[in-house]
Amino acid sequence: MANELPPIELKSLGEDGVIEGYASVFGNRDLVGDIVQRGAFARSLKGRPAGEIAMLWAHDGKRPIGVWDEVAEDAIGLKVKGRILTATRDGSDAFEFAKAGAARGLSIGYRTVKARRSTELKARLLDDVDLFEISLLPVQANSLARVERVKSHCPDRARRLVAQINAASDALRAGETQ
């Protein structure tokens, strides 16, 4: 048939699995008594691209869940954007928890390079840290460090729709040949 449409093929759905937020917020005392100072990540980020900072599920080094594409300090804190790999079991679970709001916390894994005590604030002020991982988790030490946006284009629903359209097209073609 001359007007026959080829089967639809689903190649890409855009930004599935993308999360954005703040992994650390400057000047905010966390649950363990640390306050990250503006500039604390500068040295570490200069020598380590975003893709080399691990994205983990709840600080578990055996459970990577994605890739950080952007990690940078701004006036507020450590702003991050990354992709959760939803094709993996842990990534899929983490993404579902993030979309549902059950895991919106972000937390940093680091080694302290330079810190000082503030008796006035009753806190440890972190001036320089060596950042090596950022985790998604349900409860974070810094209450302001959290995912602000979770992007999804419903890939499973889109795939099912494409399959249904192709099945209907095949059924119509089969009916025309009989």
Side-chain angles (χ1 to χ4, degrees):
M1 182 174 216
N3 292 336
E4 188 172 308
L5 294 174
I8 296 171
E9 184 178 342
L10 186 63
K11 291 198 181 266
S12 175
L13 291 169
E15 298 183 275
D16 179 44
V18 174
I19 59 172
E20 296 177 50
Y22 282 92
S24 180
V25 175
F26 299 137
N28 183 48
R29 187 174 188 271
D30 68 19
L31 294 175
V32 295
D34 288 341
I35 299 175
V36 178
Q37 301 296 294
R38 185 176 290 180
F41 301 102
R43 182 199 47 78
S44 184
L45 294 178
K46 191 174 185 180
R48 184 173 290 129
E52 291 182 13
I53 299 167
M55 181 190 291
L56 302 178
W57 177 243
H59 297 296
D60 187 340
K62 295 177 184 174
R63 297 179 76 186
I65 59 168
V67 179
W68 292 112
D69 296 315
E70 298 173 23
V71 178
E73 284 190 357
D74 67 11
I76 297 169
L78 187 65
K79 186 155 181 68
V80 297
K81 181 177 182 180
R83 292 168 285 125
I84 297 177
L85 303 177
T86 59
T88 67
R89 186 189 64 209
D90 285 336
S92 177
D93 288 350
F95 189 59
E96 290 302 316
F97 286 129
K99 282 193 313 186
R104 284 288 183 90
L106 291 172
S107 181
I108 56 174
Y110 62 92
R111 181 181 62 81
T112 303
V113 176
K114 182 179 176 192
R116 57 198 155 90
R117 275 258 165 242
S118 169
T119 52
E120 179 185 323
L121 298 172
K122 297 180 182 174
R124 184 172 71 141
L125 306 179
L126 301 176
D127 295 310
D128 186 2
V129 298
D130 185 20
L131 178 69
F132 55 86
E133 67 96 355
I134 301 168
S135 284
L136 176 67
L137 63 175
V139 179
Q140 69 276 26
N142 186 324
S143 63
L144 300 179
R146 62 180 169 255
V147 173
E148 294 180 337
R149 184 179 305 166
V150 180
K151 295 182 182 178
S152 172
H153 290 279
C154 304
D156 294 333
R157 189 175 346 157
R159 285 186 183 92
R160 284 193 302 271
L161 179 59
V162 167
Q164 289 171 346
I165 291 169
N166 285 331
S169 177
D170 290 344
L172 286 172
R173 269 192 232 111
E176 289 174 1
T177 59
Q178 293 178 1

